[in-house]
Amino acid sequence: MDQLSQVIIINTPLTNGVAVFHFQRGNKAESILNYVRAEFNGIFLGDSQKLDAAVDQGVDYNFTCSFECSDAAHTLDDMAHKPVILTVIEVLPKEKKQKEEKTAVIGQAIVDLLPLLHGQVSFSSTVLLHPTPGSPAEAASQEGSCKPSLNVTVYVPEPLLSGVQLSDSNLLKVTVETAYSVPEVWNPVSGSGPPSSYVAALQVPLTAEKEQVLMFSNGLLKLGGESEPMGRPRKWPLGPLLAPGAQFIPGVSIEGEPIEMEDGDLTSIEDRDFRNEAEANKKRVSWDTERRCFLDADGAACLSRRIAESRLWPVEVMRSPQVGATKGGKAGKDKGDETQLSFHGVAYVDMAPLLYPGARRVRGAYRLYPFYDSDLLVKSAPIGTDSVTLVETEQQQQVNTEGQMYADSRSYIIIEIALEKSLVPKRSPEELAKRVMELIPPRAPLPCRPAGAERAVQEYQAQIASVADQVLEQYQQLFGPAFLPGVKPLDPTNQEQRKTKLLGELNYSGKYFAFKEQIKYSVVRIVREKMLRTEAFSDPEQLQAFLSQLYVFLVDEMHVALNKARHTHTHIAHTHEHTPLLTIPTWFICDGSPPAAADRSDPAHWFDYGVLYMLTADYQKAEECFHYAVSMEQTHLPSLLMCGILAEMGGRLEEAETFFEGATCVDPANVVAWTLFALAQELLCPEGGLSSSYHLALARLQLLRAEYVSAESSLKEALNDNVWALFGHIHHLTGEFGKAQECYERTLDFVTDATDTHPIYLRLGSIYLQKGEFQRAKTTYLRACKSSPSCLTWLGLGIACYRLGELTEAEDALTEANILNNENAEVWGYLSLVCLQTGRRLEAEQSYKYALKLNLQKEAVLREIKALQDRVGFGNPCF
């Protein structure tokens, strides 16, 4: 829409041929004096004339109203999520001495303006008139008579969007459904205290400059006892209307899906029993509200960019005192600072799937966490930003006690975010097939060649002569004429030097491989037609004997070919003395064999051949085989996938994406193809280049290879929730324990769901022990024992307690460690120390004996045990 205001005309001849007013008062049917009031976006548009509506007859209001649409008021986004509200009002008969006219609302109808955002300039609609509670229309509807409706026509003088604007714009739909397993302290309001409003909110970009906070108010607290029905209608984000039925968006409903198909949290098999119980019997808050957002071209681009920068989007949930109900769909005033929020929680929606080609929807159950500014900054910070430094780590943040109830109750909220058009268009199968064809051109069928052993030998000799001519040409380019009359032959040392240089040049230029390919076919024919060998060998000795025989035959025939060439190319006469021709056909014998001649057109055999090279880590030859298979059959799925994998290994990520996406079109139900395609998307940013996930995965690989400098560089490109743990591991492995401690503490303090915390606890606890901070070590090991108990976590706790002088607790922890692993020498060593301190002679000696038997390596612990033995006078069975 341009800057000029455009007028939308709502022409409502509100006629009705289905007996709108088929109801009566008492036992007497009478006509009703009524009129229609139109409102949009909280603004009064006008009233129709007052007309009598006879029973069982329609009425023609002949009512027209309009409003202006601009970027300042009544925007396109307003039209996306706010309908025109038509209220039918009855004028009540005047009573004696009544001065002012009294009215009553009969019902309300809703007109959705979305067709105008789809490029239409006019549309007609028949909309239901939803009765208000207690009105005569409500009683008539309950009696099963025809439901009243209004005929409406909407038009604009010109399209709101040009063709380009319509093509580049998008419609974002956010639906907040239900929060389950909410805190048990929530109860429906009794007679005391104000009622509560349950609110969900998130922020989205509408344009490049404008952000919009989407508020979902009026959540309804339910006690549970039954599941929410599927197919229930979605509500307008308007607040309460006078006619309850008018709050539902026509034609759209909430449809569930299997848990395993969801995008959010709690999708594992272990979570299903909890989900089923919560969604049937536990307390919940229901919104079932859809908010539609119009995005212009810049807004859609901004949305893509924002998702690429930060894949986790916060959805805040809270409880507040309920604001007075609004009338007619008009929004109440924002109370601002007057509103006191409580139970402030947040869910993080992973929006990254919306960047997959063709993806238009994410829906799932998302865990609710207590809201903390520090967590929000870390999780929603743009990739590449050191978000942790945005928070003062020394500042003691206030504990969100109410928000913690979400985590304790395992609360979660079901949210759907959908787009009318995908942010990244999915290429059509035809386009993908064309792209694959460009990368790997189809190969013409192999020509029919004459059969016979003699013909096979002739072809081989011809290939040898051709290769010899090309090798000689390369030789002369490097060293000049190969043979001149009267010139003495080169000495053996110079010959070997030239041979080495020539082979290097042939390999570097790719000609050596080309020569091998040129000869392979004729060698295969010799094997099959001359040597009569068509099956694989099962006996290695027979294979070796055959290869020796074949080698002798090929060398003899090569000499024959070179001798024949003398008569036509005399310069080849002495070539074999100076060039490495003898090494060319032996590649076939030494390096393995391609598919047999009759199977060369079968891509499956080339695929098997490529797999063989993969096992020997010869990725270049493997890729050639897979490419050959695809060239034979463009839809050969296994080869397409392997081409994609090898392209990714070679850093050609866009090419890899093409192969994987092409594979999904070949077999849309193939799980492997979709998995690899999704991984490729994870590794790529929508604007091009490598994603944070790629750098994170690369850093983990480099860490395993002990490439610590490279791993640290990769992590700097991939700052997100888990990088601080990896930074800590790098510093710990390189002996920088102070830096490791800082990184581990950041991980545990600011990330509520850090993955793989077990090594973090162990290493951080060990650092505390080394620094003599035994109380902090104890706390850390206690957390480790609670989350993932092991022999090492209990050992660390036992050591910390021992250093604190808490001998009973130390012995309990060491006993737990010993139960989990009774072959840990250090556990026996500290048990011996505890027994020495508590005066238990026999147990001290037995523990010490086991520590020595298991070869205790900690010299400091051994010295400490011996010193304590000397001081107490027992504990060493050797004396």
Side-chain angles (χ1 to χ4, degrees):
M1 184 176 65
D2 56 31
Q3 296 299 320
L4 297 176
S5 298
Q6 301 190 14
V7 179
I8 299 178
I9 306 296
I10 304 177
N11 180 16
T12 55
L14 301 174
T15 59
N16 181 26
V18 291
V20 174
F21 305 110
H22 185 71
F23 53 81
Q24 61 186 28
R25 296 187 182 279
N27 297 322
K28 180 181 178 182
E30 57 185 34
S31 63
I32 296 176
L33 182 64
N34 68 96
Y35 62 95
V36 173
R37 171 167 294 171
E39 299 171 83
F40 176 72
N41 196 18
I43 302 299
F44 169 74
L45 300 182
D47 289 340
S48 72
Q49 59 181 323
K50 298 172 184 178
L51 298 173
D52 278 314
V55 176
D56 294 338
Q57 293 184 9
V59 58
D60 188 351
Y61 294 100
N62 193 25
F63 171 49
T64 300
C65 61
S66 66
F67 64 88
E68 293 184 350
C69 178
S70 70
D71 292 332
H74 303 321
T75 64
L76 296 180
D77 184 60
D78 289 330
M79 297 176 64
H81 75 278
K82 296 176 182 178
V84 172
I85 302 174
L86 302 175
T87 306
V88 178
I89 302 173
E90 177 189 3
V91 180
L92 298 175
K94 286 189 177 183
E95 300 178 355
K96 292 181 179 181
K97 298 182 180 180
Q98 178 183 330
K99 294 182 179 181
E100 295 183 359
E101 185 178 76
K102 291 186 177 181
T103 61
V105 175
I106 295 175
Q108 290 181 311
I110 296 294
V111 181
D112 191 351
L113 300 179
L114 190 61
L116 297 180
L117 300 182
H118 288 157
Q120 297 185 32
V121 293
S122 67
F123 66 92
S124 296
S125 178
T126 299
V127 294
L128 290 177
L129 182 67
H130 302 279
T132 55
S135 71
E138 183 183 40
S141 297
Q142 293 174 353
E143 292 172 1
S145 60
C146 295
K147 293 184 177 181
S149 60
L150 304 175
N151 293 333
V152 183
T153 298
V154 181
Y155 71 88
V156 290
E158 59 185 16
L160 297 181
L161 299 168
S162 67
V164 174
Q165 290 173 328
L166 185 63
S167 174
D168 294 342
S169 63
N170 211 330
L171 194 70
L172 176 69
K173 302 176 183 179
V174 179
T175 303
V176 177
E177 298 181 17
T178 307
Y180 290 100
S181 190
V182 296
E184 281 296 320
V185 296
W186 288 4
N187 289 301
V189 177
S190 57
S192 61
S196 295
S197 175
Y198 300 91
V199 181
L202 75 156
Q203 183 170 298
V204 299
L206 298 183
T207 66
E209 299 82 18
K210 182 180 179 181
E211 298 274 340
Q212 179 69 49
V213 176
L214 309 185
M215 297 291 294
F216 297 83
S217 305
N218 303 310
L220 178 62
L221 177 62
K222 299 180 180 180
L223 293 180
E226 61 180 3
S227 300
E228 296 294 307
M230 288 297 103
R232 60 192 186 276
R234 304 185 187 211
K235 300 175 185 176
W236 292 100
L238 299 178
L241 297 175
L242 297 177
Q247 66 181 322
F248 300 116
I249 305 175
V252 293
S253 59
I254 293 175
E255 301 295 339
E257 59 190 348
I259 292 176
E260 61 271 15
M261 299 299 293
E262 294 179 352
D263 300 294
D265 309 320
L266 302 171
T267 58
S268 66
I269 296 176
E270 295 78 12
D271 296 320
R272 292 180 189 174
D273 289 342
F274 167 71
R275 288 277 304 270
N276 292 333
E277 170 67 16
E279 293 172 24
N281 299 318
K282 293 196 173 185
K283 292 180 182 178
R284 78 282 308 269
V285 172
S286 176
W287 287 271
D288 292 343
T289 299
E290 177 180 283
R291 169 57 155 94
R292 301 188 300 212
C293 305
F294 177 81
L295 307 178
D296 63 12
D298 291 338
C302 183
L303 179 65
S304 297
R305 185 170 60 253
R306 285 275 307 279
I307 296 174
E309 291 172 351
S310 178
R311 63 186 297 164
L312 297 179
W313 285 36
V315 178
E316 297 181 46
V317 177
M318 63 209 79
R319 191 175 78 172
S320 66
Q322 190 173 44
V323 181
T326 59
K327 296 183 179 180
K330 297 181 181 180
K333 294 183 179 180
D334 184 7
K335 296 294 182 180
D337 295 337
E338 298 178 14
T339 301
Q340 293 182 348
L341 301 180
S342 60
F343 292 93
H344 197 177
V346 62
Y348 294 97
V349 179
D350 186 354
M351 299 281 279
L354 290 179
L355 296 183
Y356 300 165
R360 295 190 295 123
R361 175 177 178 263
V362 292
R363 180 185 182 274
Y366 299 90
R367 293 180 184 273
L368 282 168
Y369 300 96
F371 181 90
Y372 290 107
D373 286 327
S374 57
D375 288 346
L376 185 67
L377 287 171
V378 170
K379 287 181 174 291
S380 60
I383 293 172
T385 301
D386 187 353
S387 56
V388 176
T389 61
L390 299 175
V391 183
E392 296 182 10
T393 57
E394 293 81 7
Q395 181 179 356
Q396 183 68 31
Q397 58 185 358
Q398 184 176 358
V399 176
N400 185 350
T401 305
E402 291 177 329
Q404 183 61 35
M405 293 185 187
Y406 291 123
D408 296 339
S409 302
R410 298 185 66 189
S411 304
Y412 62 92
I413 185 170
I414 295 182
I415 298 172
E416 177 185 288
I417 299 177
L419 291 156
E420 197 167 75
K421 307 169 190 173
S422 59
L423 295 175
V424 181
K426 182 178 176 63
R427 290 178 285 186
S428 66
E430 294 76 16
E431 182 184 355
L432 285 168
K434 181 180 178 181
R435 177 61 179 146
V436 171
M437 191 179 300
E438 291 172 354
L439 293 172
I440 306 177
R443 219 176 259 271
L446 292 174
C448 296
R449 297 177 181 270
E454 188 63 28
R455 180 62 178 169
V457 174
Q458 291 176 0
E459 288 182 357
Y460 171 73
Q461 292 175 351
Q463 294 291 349
I464 290 294
S466 173
V467 169
D469 199 18
Q470 296 176 70
V471 172
L472 178 62
E473 182 180 353
Q474 182 70 53
Y475 180 90
Q476 291 176 335
Q477 289 177 5
L478 292 173
F479 309 115
F483 178 78
L484 292 174
V487 177
K488 295 183 179 180
L490 295 174
D491 61 80
T493 302
N494 286 335
Q495 285 188 25
E496 189 62 31
Q497 290 175 350
R498 289 192 176 189
K499 177 180 176 181
T500 301
K501 184 174 182 180
L502 177 60
L503 281 172
E505 182 64 27
L506 291 174
N507 275 292
Y508 179 78
S509 65
K511 291 181 180 180
Y512 186 70
F513 178 79
F515 294 158
K516 292 187 291 186
E517 293 294 309
Q518 188 174 341
I519 294 173
K520 278 196 302 187
Y521 179 78
S522 57
V523 174
V524 170
R525 290 201 62 193
I526 288 175
V527 171
R528 294 178 60 87
E529 300 179 18
K530 178 69 176 179
M531 318 280 305
L532 302 179
R533 189 72 204 183
T534 60
E535 297 180 356
F537 287 93
S538 58
D539 186 347
E541 294 184 1
Q542 291 181 0
L543 173 61
Q544 189 59 44
F546 174 77
L547 292 177
S548 300
Q549 180 185 4
L550 176 62
Y551 177 83
V552 172
F553 177 82
L554 293 176
V555 171
D556 289 344
E557 292 301 323
M558 183 178 66
H559 284 292
V560 173
L562 293 175
N563 287 332
K564 288 182 179 180
R566 290 180 184 177
H567 302 289
T568 54
H569 303 282
T570 56
H571 56 274
I572 298 182
H574 302 283
T575 297
H576 61 282
E577 297 177 3
H578 303 281
T579 58
L581 286 180
L582 287 175
T583 65
I584 294 173
T586 59
W587 169 86
F588 168 76
I589 302 172
C590 300
D591 289 4
S593 58
D599 301 326
R600 287 170 62 87
S601 60
D602 187 345
H605 291 161
W606 284 102
F607 175 79
D608 292 340
Y609 194 33
V611 170
L612 176 63
Y613 279 125
M614 290 294 293
L615 295 175
T616 60
D618 193 341
Y619 302 126
Q620 180 180 354
K621 290 180 181 177
E623 189 167 24
E624 291 169 1
C625 292
F626 297 133
H627 277 223
Y628 201 102
V630 173
S631 72
M632 305 300 295
E633 182 182 323
Q634 294 277 298
T635 58
H636 191 251
L637 183 64
S639 297
L640 278 173
L641 295 176
M642 291 307 302
C643 285
I645 290 172
L646 286 165
E648 192 279 329
M649 291 172 63
R652 305 186 306 277
L653 299 181
E654 292 185 4
E655 186 177 322
E657 182 184 5
T658 297
F659 285 123
F660 292 142
E661 190 173 0
T664 64
C665 292
V666 172
D667 185 2
N670 190 281
V671 176
V672 175
W674 281 108
T675 301
L676 291 172
F677 182 39
L679 289 174
Q681 291 298 312
E682 289 285 329
L683 300 179
L684 279 174
C685 289
E687 293 85 5
L690 301 172
S691 70
S692 175
S693 299
Y694 174 86
H695 292 295
L696 195 62
L698 179 60
R700 288 194 177 103
L701 177 62
Q702 292 164 335
L703 189 61
L704 292 173
R705 291 177 172 177
E707 300 170 357
Y708 302 128
V709 176
S710 299
E712 191 167 3
S713 299
S714 298
L715 288 177
K716 290 178 180 177
E717 300 291 332
L719 281 177
N720 65 17
D721 293 353
N722 293 315
V723 297
W724 293 111
L726 293 177
F727 270 129
H729 295 332
I730 292 174
H731 294 315
H732 189 273
L733 293 171
T734 55
E736 299 176 293
F737 298 119
K739 292 182 179 180
Q741 175 183 336
E742 180 182 355
C743 292
Y744 290 148
E745 288 173 345
R746 285 182 172 186
T747 302
L748 298 176
D749 287 344
F750 297 110
V751 181
T752 57
D753 56 347
T755 58
D756 196 16
T757 55
H758 188 74
I760 299 174
Y761 286 131
L762 290 177
R763 288 176 172 174
L764 182 59
S766 174
I767 293 171
Y768 288 147
L769 289 177
Q770 292 176 26
K771 297 175 67 175
E773 299 179 17
F774 303 127
Q775 186 59 52
R776 299 181 74 181
K778 177 183 176 181
T779 302
T780 301
Y781 282 120
L782 273 172
R783 293 172 68 181
C785 291
K786 181 179 179 181
S787 64
S788 52
S790 67
C791 173
L792 296 181
T793 61
W794 286 111
L795 171 60
L797 179 59
I799 296 173
C801 291
Y802 178 79
R803 298 304 178 196
L804 290 169
E806 301 170 355
L807 299 182
T808 301
E809 292 85 348
E811 185 174 2
D812 291 341
L814 293 168
T815 301
E816 290 290 338
N818 193 264
I819 291 173
L820 293 173
N821 181 9
N822 62 2
E823 295 186 357
N824 186 299
E826 193 172 3
V827 173
W828 287 110
Y830 274 96
L831 280 172
S832 180
L833 284 171
V834 170
C835 294
L836 288 170
Q837 292 278 14
T838 54
R840 290 140 62 188
R841 181 189 190 101
L842 179 60
E843 293 172 79
E845 292 181 355
Q846 289 179 336
S847 299
Y848 178 63
K849 184 167 58 176
Y850 277 116
L852 295 180
K853 181 179 180 181
L854 294 170
N855 193 22
L856 178 60
Q857 297 291 319
K858 297 289 184 70
E859 291 295 333
V861 178
L862 284 171
R863 288 195 298 270
E864 184 176 2
I865 293 174
K866 291 178 180 179
L868 189 54
Q869 288 173 345
D870 293 340
R871 182 160 62 86
V872 299
F874 63 86
N876 189 341
C878 299
F879 298 99

